[in-house]
Amino acid sequence: GITVLDGVVLTHPHLDHYGGLSSLLDDFDVRRVWQPVQRSRYASYAGVVDKAGMRGADISVLRAGEVLSFGPVDLLVLSPDSLHAVSAGSDNDASLILKLVYGETSMLFMGDGELEIERRLLAYDSLLTSDWLKIGHHGAVTAGSKAFLKQVNPRGVLISVGKYNRYGHPASETLARLDKQGMQVLRTDMDGAARITSDGREWMLTQWR
């Protein structure tokens, strides 16, 4: 019964992260589109953002240090800032990285962030600590370093990844690090979609497969 989306996050200009927006705009009333500071604009990316604007969505650029508040829910923007957006070694490490905080619960969304940005984010210290982590770059070998996982210290990790993908994600090395730290792992290729809801104190998990 959902017909309205309050906001859609475009983490960075890679097709597997923005390609679905066009269909969302056709089927839903999308109120806002958030994107990071960009150092480059691909024609197809610019086209879908322009389509969102023409459909009435408010287009906003988010930068590190901003906080979006929705009643009791805060969305903290951890990266990128303008300088890092143009100096990052890859578009992946210039991903929009967000932390959602609701009461005593929290979730960290890493986009396609890899080792470079993980090292930079360690400067946030305890602010990184989160109940759930949506790991960067589909669980590639370049995501989920030991130091980063230790600081975030999540109870569970989400891996958004296509089944039989040609890159072999998630990497066995990354899965081994997660297993060694005893973290619950949910993979969209094996577990399907997951709904994780919070009342501000506890998390409730609904698996769809």
Side-chain angles (χ1 to χ4, degrees), residues 18 38 47 54 58 63 66 73 89 91 97 99 133 139 148 150-151 160 169 171-172 181 186:
Y18 71 82
Q38 293 298 331
M54 289 187 289
D58 176 59
R63 294 175 173 82
E66 293 186 67
V73 177
D91 286 334
I97 296 174
K99 179 176 178 177
L133 167 68
F148 182 73
K150 181 178 180 180
Q151 184 58 65
S160 178
H169 299 329
S172 57
Q181 297 201 29
L186 296 177

Side-chain angles (χ1 to χ4, degrees), residues 25-73:
L25 292 168
D26 291 338
D27 296 333
F28 298 89
D29 177 7
V30 177
R31 300 288 174 82
R32 305 176 187 85
V33 173
W34 295 299
Q35 59 180 330
V37 182
Q38 293 298 331
R39 56 183 179 177
S40 62
R41 286 177 65 84
Y42 301 95
S44 57
Y45 177 85
V48 75
V49 172
D50 289 344
K51 178 178 178 179
M54 289 187 289
R55 294 291 177 88
D58 176 59
I59 312 298
S60 300
V61 173
L62 300 181
R63 294 175 173 82
E66 293 186 67
V67 178
L68 304 178
S69 294
F70 308 93
V73 177

